[in-house]
Amino acid sequence: MIRCLITDGSFSRNQVGWLAHVAHWIAEGADLVQIRERDLEARDLAELTRKVLRIRNPHGTRIIVNDRADVAIACNAHGVHLRDGSVRPDKFARPDFLVTVSCHGIENVQNIQGAGFVLLAPIFAPLSKEDPRPALGTRAITEFARHSPIPVLALAGIDHENARACMDAGAAGIAGITYFAR
């Protein structure tokens, strides 16, 4: 099971705790850490990304930056996560640069060429924020995975009790915030 920790935007409020949380999951072997700190300016986001990249990384966790390819490239991060409607993933055609993309339904499957993973959301109602979109449910994972040439990660409302249902539905793994809460 692929595990993708998405940070919760709390770095500005709790820098020490935030870094300790990320370091814990890197040490535990999370496959990906998506730095999603939307309130940070580019310079601060780059500084934070460099701090994360300096964390001891015994399992080769890949560090990606949310929707800021410029910061990811400048910091030599492993890749970028593109939100739905962002630049096309195939614009970053480099074998050493991972691109993940958000999708919100089967109608978005044509927008994933060049990506390494799809984060399909919301599978369940998010536990960490309000989201007006209706939950897709696990059947959406099955349908999307059937049409997707790349692995699908289930996102939103994923916890330790429903993660198995996502995997059984065809997800290659899970992504999120709540699943990784300690």
Side-chain angles (χ1 to χ4, degrees):
M1 173 172 75
I2 298 165
R3 298 176 301 157
C4 175
L5 163 66
I6 300 174
T7 67
D8 63 0
S10 69
F11 177 75
S12 297
R13 297 183 305 278
N14 181 10
Q15 295 180 17
V16 173
W18 187 99
L19 282 168
H21 180 70
V22 170
H24 168 81
W25 284 105
I26 289 173
E28 288 292 317
D31 299 281
L32 302 167
V33 170
Q34 178 183 328
I35 300 174
R36 184 176 170 261
E37 300 298 311
R38 294 180 180 166
D39 62 329
L40 296 181
E41 297 294 326
R43 181 181 310 264
D44 296 329
L45 181 59
E47 183 179 320
L48 175 60
T49 300
R50 287 184 186 103
K51 283 181 183 178
V52 172
L53 288 165
R54 286 192 298 266
I55 293 172
R56 187 175 172 279
N57 190 348
H59 303 286
T61 299
R62 291 184 281 180
I63 310 303
I64 61 176
V65 179
N66 190 72
D67 217 38
R68 292 298 305 259
D70 57 336
V71 171
I73 291 167
C75 295
N76 291 315
H78 301 104
V80 66
H81 174 76
L82 301 174
R83 296 183 301 178
D84 191 24
S86 191
V87 66
R88 291 184 8 211
D90 59 2
K91 298 296 181 189
F92 299 99
R94 288 179 23 200
D96 62 334
F97 194 75
L98 175 66
V99 178
T100 65
V101 294
S102 291
C103 286
H104 304 293
I106 194 67
E107 64 278 0
N108 300 124
V109 76
Q110 73 276 3
N111 300 327
I112 64 173
Q113 290 77 21
F117 296 102
V118 170
L119 279 64
L120 182 63
I123 300 304
F124 304 109
L127 302 171
S128 62
K129 67 177 186 175
E130 294 290 321
D131 190 338
R133 296 173 297 191
L136 299 171
T138 57
R139 293 177 76 197
I141 298 169
T142 303
E143 181 180 357
F144 202 96
R146 189 173 326 132
H147 293 93
S148 176
I150 60 175
V152 176
L153 305 182
L155 172 61
I158 312 298
D159 59 27
H160 291 277
E161 283 143 30
N162 61 23
R164 174 56 38 211
C166 294
M167 301 303 295
D168 291 346
I174 54 93
I177 295 170
T178 306
Y179 182 88
F180 296 93
R182 290 199 271 164

